[in-house]
Amino acid sequence: MSHSLTKSGLSRRQFLIAGTAVGGGLLVGCASPSAENRLGSKADFPEANGEIALNGWVKISPDGKVTVAVPRSEMGQGVLTSLPMLLVEELDARWEDVAVEQAPVAKIYANTALLINVIPFGVDDDSWMARVARSTVQRMGYALSLQVTGGSSSIRDAWEPLRLAGATARAMLIKAAAQKWKVRADDCVAENGVVTYPATGHKLSFAELAKDAAALPVPQNVPFKDPAKYKLIGKPVKRVDIPSKTNGSAQFGIDTRVNGMVYAAIAQPPVFGATVQSFDGAAASKMRGVVKVLQIRDGVVVVANSWWRAKQALAEVKVTYKATPHDKLSSADIRKQFETEMQERSGFGFVNKGDADDALKAAHKVVESTYWAPYLAHAAMEPLNCVAQVQNGKESGKVEVWCSTQVPSLAKWKASQVAGVDMDQVTLHVPLLGGGFGRRLETDMVEQAVAIAKELGGKPVKLVWTREEDTQHDMYRPAALSRFRAAVDKDGRVTAWSNKLVAQSIGYDTMKRLLPWAAADTPDKNQIEGAFDIPYNFDSISVRQVRPQTPVPVGSWRSVGHSYNAFFTESFVDELAYAAGQDPYQYRRSLLDKHPRHRIVLDTAAEKAGWGKPLPAGMARGIALHESFGSICAEVAEVSIVDGAVKVHRVVCAIDCGVVVNPDTVEAQMQSCIVFGLSAALFGEITLADGRVEQSSFPSYDVVHMAQMPKVETHIVRNTHAPGGVGEPGTPPIAPAVANALYALTQKRIRSLPIRL
């Protein structure tokens, strides 16, 4: 790395990734999506029952209903409310007139913010390289038509196009009214679904103006509303999906019913990498209701006239599997492999600031620790499922799929591949998701359902995995091993920070599943995020990654690499605070002079938790701070030990997510993040024996129960920075906050998850 880059603070890794992003953008000729591109047209958002589309995001009905297209999947995070709020704020419609509709798969609905997660720049990095990299990857996301819900990117992506769609539609409605009244558009006002000419009191509703407005040219450079005049953004708004979810009318993927539908149950090889050698389905074929017994690429399937009958018959199928080199693989083997690779491989250097090696050699004292995090399953409440129909005869080639998916564009593409048809011959429906957490970023259930449907002569088939299949055939959160070394001078000051991380590459595994020919074992930011980009001001920092390969498939799990790296880094920072004889909160604060936003969040959490104030005997506090997905989150946990088990009484959370759209959703997501992360910290662990996963369902893969749930307090740090994510940033800090509290209570350092006393 050149001296100029080192002095600028731009790491080799930042330069490589940013350069690749920029270069890639130039190579593919990615142009920045114009306002017209992102607005789309009525062709993108099909009209029905007299609706008039003003662009690809909003339609107005004769009865005044305003329908907003939502291109992200609803899985509990509130996008059916928060995204329409952006458009309606600028449109100036009445919230009670708003309806939502799942957007079809189309380029204008691409998630252009998703790829921001792959570039190595912090939320408060406004350097020219950071700005160029962010802009370029957004163009690439648009060019690739990535219609994906993930990476806490829904609001970040929607912030510009949905407000623009609302503001543009408002301008068109005002212009239509002004032309009717033969007055200047600047003298007219839109408010609460009505355009008014104040000078005369003339009024026309949006419904009355929609047809004329749609015939007008799309205006350019429409100004956004002054934030001081916001009526919705920043205010708590009740979620539109809650009534249907509470009265039972909400339709999730597993609720899908199609005329003539049959049901499928699947048994997949229990050992990773194994395949079916032979199967005998004779007995199963004779059972009541059974339609067919067949083999697909991923295993053996029984199709019947009810799912229960399919499952019961599947148990009677005799299956043998081909032997693999992994038949005796255990968790201990994987841990040993990681330890060996830690010792023998130098890894890829993500950060090399200063000279950490020399500082460690000359150190007055070296603090060393090694941390471990296990594989984790997603364990969403709704098991994987998909309904597919492949038409035969005159309708040959037409495919229809109903699936709770986070990746509509990829699901449609994979369905077309399996069916052997063009993508435009695939119709995809996206019901509500009963939990995703990254598991529904995969398309295996879609590929399986379409493969089964091809064998059924045009009958629609509903594939449902059992909970056991779901747990034992997941794309797991990677296991990870992290070794820290810190150089400490005689005054207790850290002069060098060194961290080497061993964990599988999510990017590599994902590409093996999507585009095997393009999979390459290259540096993976997802694997090391939250480790290379710590906000603390140390003189020298070295962070390296080693990417082992195992037969265990890995994928994105809520907060991805941040989920384990926050535990590692924030626990080790806590160790350094105690080694320096300092208060853990004050120690962190002293290292944040270059990151004022982080310091404010840390201060907020500590103050609201009453840091430093006495607790009842047998209780202690721990603190952790972490940035992820464009947001900064700090958490303080109050814990005790009851009957030999950890009891978390209270969690105080402070979050800076930039501009807040719906504070009610932010609070709900922090609660959700904390219970999800706490479940993993206290119980979560996927282990292997004889090549197969030992856990099968919730009794052996437990989560936090209602009686174990701590009180959660959320404090939002308000500012005018660009929106950050909220669906994931609350998860990473909880494990280290609890572990750090346990050290304060017991003087025993937790360096391995799940927490065991």
Side-chain angles (χ1 to χ4, degrees):
M1 180 164 48
S2 73
H3 179 66
S4 61
L5 287 177
T6 303
K7 288 188 69 175
S8 72
L10 185 67
S11 74
R12 176 169 175 259
R13 180 56 183 156
Q14 286 177 308
F15 183 73
L16 287 173
I17 290 188
T20 300
V22 174
L26 293 173
L27 285 172
V28 300
C30 294
S32 181
S34 66
E36 187 174 348
N37 291 148
R38 288 309 310 259
L39 284 176
S41 67
K42 60 177 64 181
D44 296 304
F45 198 20
E47 300 163 327
N49 302 318
E51 295 172 327
I52 301 293
L54 298 182
N55 50 54
W57 299 91
V58 60
K59 300 183 291 191
I60 298 177
S61 300
D63 62 0
K65 182 174 72 174
V66 176
T67 301
V68 180
V70 176
R72 305 294 163 249
S73 303
E74 175 58 68
M75 50 189 173
Q77 80 280 39
V79 291
L80 294 181
T81 304
S82 54
L83 267 60
M85 284 174 65
L86 299 175
L87 186 145
V88 175
E89 181 69 79
E90 293 290 345
L91 179 62
D92 262 314
R94 295 195 320 156
W95 182 249
E96 50 267 40
D97 292 335
V98 174
V100 295
E101 188 174 308
Q102 194 72 40
V105 175
K107 190 168 187 175
I108 70 160
Y109 306 124
N111 188 336
T112 67
L114 182 71
L115 292 181
I116 289 177
N117 293 326
V118 307
I119 59 174
F121 297 97
V123 65
D124 50 1
D125 188 341
D126 196 38
S127 64
W128 69 269
M129 184 63 84
R131 293 196 302 270
V132 170
R134 290 186 188 109
S135 174
T136 303
V137 297
Q138 284 186 274
R139 297 171 193 169
M140 293 172 69
Y142 182 75
L144 293 170
S145 299
L146 294 175
Q147 199 159 327
V148 178
T149 307
S152 292
S153 58
S154 294
I155 290 291
R156 289 187 286 164
D157 173 71
W159 179 247
E160 292 292 337
L162 273 166
R163 288 189 303 139
L164 178 64
T168 303
R170 182 191 70 232
M172 294 166 71
L173 290 162
I174 289 175
K175 182 73 175 292
Q179 288 183 348
K180 282 182 176 291
W181 297 324
K182 296 182 171 52
V183 299
R184 288 184 349 118
D186 289 347
D187 294 331
C188 300
V189 180
E191 189 174 18
N192 292 327
V194 174
V195 177
T196 303
Y197 181 50
T200 62
H202 287 148
K203 294 182 179 182
L204 286 170
S205 69
F206 286 179
E208 294 172 301
L209 294 166
K211 185 175 181 180
D212 290 337
L216 295 172
V218 177
Q220 302 297 309
N221 303 315
V222 177
F224 289 134
K225 185 186 289 187
D226 180 351
K229 297 181 179 179
Y230 283 163
K231 298 177 182 177
L232 288 173
I233 295 176
K235 310 295 192 301
V237 174
K238 293 180 180 179
R239 284 175 47 172
V240 301
D241 53 327
I242 295 300
S244 64
K245 288 178 176 177
T246 52
N247 66 24
S249 63
Q251 293 294 297
F252 293 84
I254 205 163
D255 298 320
T256 302
R257 299 286 188 276
V258 179
N259 289 336
M261 185 172 74
V262 291
Y263 299 80
I266 186 170
Q268 300 171 85
V271 174
F272 296 120
T275 55
V276 174
Q277 180 169 298
S278 64
F279 75 96
D280 180 356
S285 298
K286 297 174 183 177
M287 294 178 69
R288 184 181 178 187
V290 171
V291 174
K292 196 163 192 174
V293 181
L294 68 151
Q295 179 184 343
I296 61 173
R297 182 194 65 184
D298 294 341
V300 175
V301 175
V302 171
V303 181
N305 60 5
S306 79
W307 184 80
W308 181 250
R309 286 174 176 168
K311 179 181 180 297
Q312 294 296 98
L314 185 62
E316 300 303 316
V317 179
K318 297 179 176 63
V319 187
T320 58
Y321 300 100
K322 294 180 182 178
T324 81
H326 317 305
D327 287 353
K328 296 299 181 182
L329 185 69
S330 69
S331 293
D333 295 331
I334 293 174
R335 177 71 181 261
K336 184 177 180 180
Q337 175 190 345
F338 281 26
E339 290 171 347
T340 299
E341 297 203 31
M342 174 74 79
Q343 293 297 324
E344 297 180 354
R345 295 178 60 184
S346 61
F348 179 84
F350 260 72
V351 177
N352 188 23
K353 173 189 172 187
D355 198 325
D357 289 341
D358 284 350
L360 285 162
K361 290 175 185 176
H364 172 75
K365 177 183 179 182
V366 175
V367 179
E368 299 186 56
S369 287
T370 299
Y371 285 82
W372 170 260
Y375 290 106
L376 294 176
H378 294 83
M381 289 302 295
E382 180 189 9
L384 292 185
N385 63 88
C386 180
V387 174
Q389 183 174 24
V390 178
Q391 296 282 7
N392 296 318
K394 295 180 179 179
E395 299 296 321
S396 179
K398 290 192 176 179
V399 179
E400 196 160 7
V401 175
W402 295 258
C403 187
S404 301
T405 176
Q406 294 176 242
V407 284
S409 53
L410 295 179
K412 189 172 181 179
W413 171 54
K414 279 298 186 179
S416 72
Q417 282 190 323
V418 175
V421 301
D422 293 334
M423 277 186 70
D424 60 7
Q425 290 183 289
V426 178
T427 300
L428 176 69
H429 308 275
V430 183
L432 296 172
L433 283 62
F437 315 127
R439 180 60 178 95
R440 286 178 164 87
L441 290 170
E442 306 291 339
T443 60
D444 46 348
M445 74 296 285
V446 175
E447 297 171 61
Q448 292 171 355
V450 173
I452 298 166
K454 285 176 64 178
E455 305 298 321
L456 298 180
K459 282 183 175 292
V461 61
K462 182 176 187 175
L463 170 68
V464 180
W465 287 26
T466 62
R467 175 63 61 188
E468 290 76 13
E469 287 289 322
D470 204 327
T471 303
Q472 297 178 334
H473 296 87
D474 204 341
M475 312 301 179
Y476 302 94
R477 198 284 304 272
L481 185 71
S482 186
R483 187 183 69 186
F484 293 93
R485 301 177 70 215
V488 182
D489 65 18
K490 60 182 180 180
D491 298 321
R493 189 176 69 92
V494 173
T495 58
W497 167 286
S498 174
N499 179 15
K500 185 192 284 189
L501 178 77
V502 181
Q504 285 171 254
S505 167
I506 293 169
Y508 177 67
D509 261 35
T510 301
M511 287 304 292
K512 281 197 302 183
R513 293 189 287 272
L514 288 176
L515 290 170
W517 59 268
D521 185 18
T522 57
D524 183 359
K525 185 258 187 186
N526 283 328
Q527 183 238 33
I528 203 163
E529 58 193 359
F532 77 90
D533 48 355
I534 58 173
Y536 302 114
N537 184 24
F538 298 122
D539 294 340
S540 297
I541 301 177
S542 172
V543 181
R544 308 189 70 82
Q545 76 166 178
V546 175
R547 300 175 304 281
Q549 293 186 23
T550 83
V552 182
V554 296
S556 295
W557 185 93
R558 193 175 192 173
S559 75
V560 203
H562 294 285
S563 65
Y564 50 77
N565 282 317
F567 170 64
F568 300 157
T569 58
E570 282 299 289
S571 295
F572 191 61
V573 168
D574 221 63
E575 289 199 54
L576 296 178
Y578 281 97
Q582 295 185 33
D583 174 83
Y585 155 55
Q586 293 294 345
Y587 181 75
R588 286 172 170 80
R589 196 177 192 281
S590 71
L591 297 171
L592 293 171
D593 53 299
K594 294 183 179 179
H595 295 277
R597 288 181 66 182
H598 293 72
R599 181 179 279 185
I600 290 171
V601 173
L602 183 72
D603 288 345
T604 301
E607 176 190 346
K608 298 298 184 182
W611 188 270
K613 294 181 180 179
L615 285 168
M619 291 181 63
R621 294 187 182 96
I623 194 167
L625 170 73
H626 196 77
E627 174 195 330
S628 61
F629 307 97
S631 296
I632 305 161
C633 185
E635 291 171 8
V636 175
E638 295 178 356
V639 308
S640 69
I641 298 174
V642 178
D643 296 329
V646 178
K647 172 70 175 177
V648 183
H649 298 267
R650 177 182 178 225
V651 177
V652 177
C653 170
I655 176 80
D656 172 356
C657 56
V659 173
V660 175
V661 177
N662 189 351
D664 183 65
T665 296
V666 175
E667 183 175 3
Q669 283 299 288
M670 291 306 102
Q671 294 166 349
S672 171
C673 284
I674 287 166
V675 69
F676 192 81
L678 188 59
S679 293
L682 297 180
F683 309 115
E685 184 177 30
I686 289 293
T687 57
L688 275 72
D690 294 327
R692 59 193 70 196
V693 170
E694 294 184 285
Q695 292 71 28
S696 60
S697 190
F698 287 120
S700 54
Y701 191 80
D702 209 355
V703 296
V704 169
H705 299 202
M706 290 290 288
Q708 298 166 314
M709 185 64 189
K711 178 182 179 183
V712 176
E713 300 174 15
T714 300
H715 302 275
I716 301 172
V717 177
R718 300 271 187 159
N719 55 50
T720 58
H721 293 290
V726 297
E728 296 172 273
T731 293
I734 187 61
V738 171
N740 293 340
L742 286 169
Y743 180 79
L745 183 64
T746 67
Q747 300 302 293
K748 178 183 177 182
R749 181 62 63 180
I750 303 295
R751 296 192 179 96
S752 182
L753 294 177
I755 294 170
R756 293 191 175 98
L757 299 177

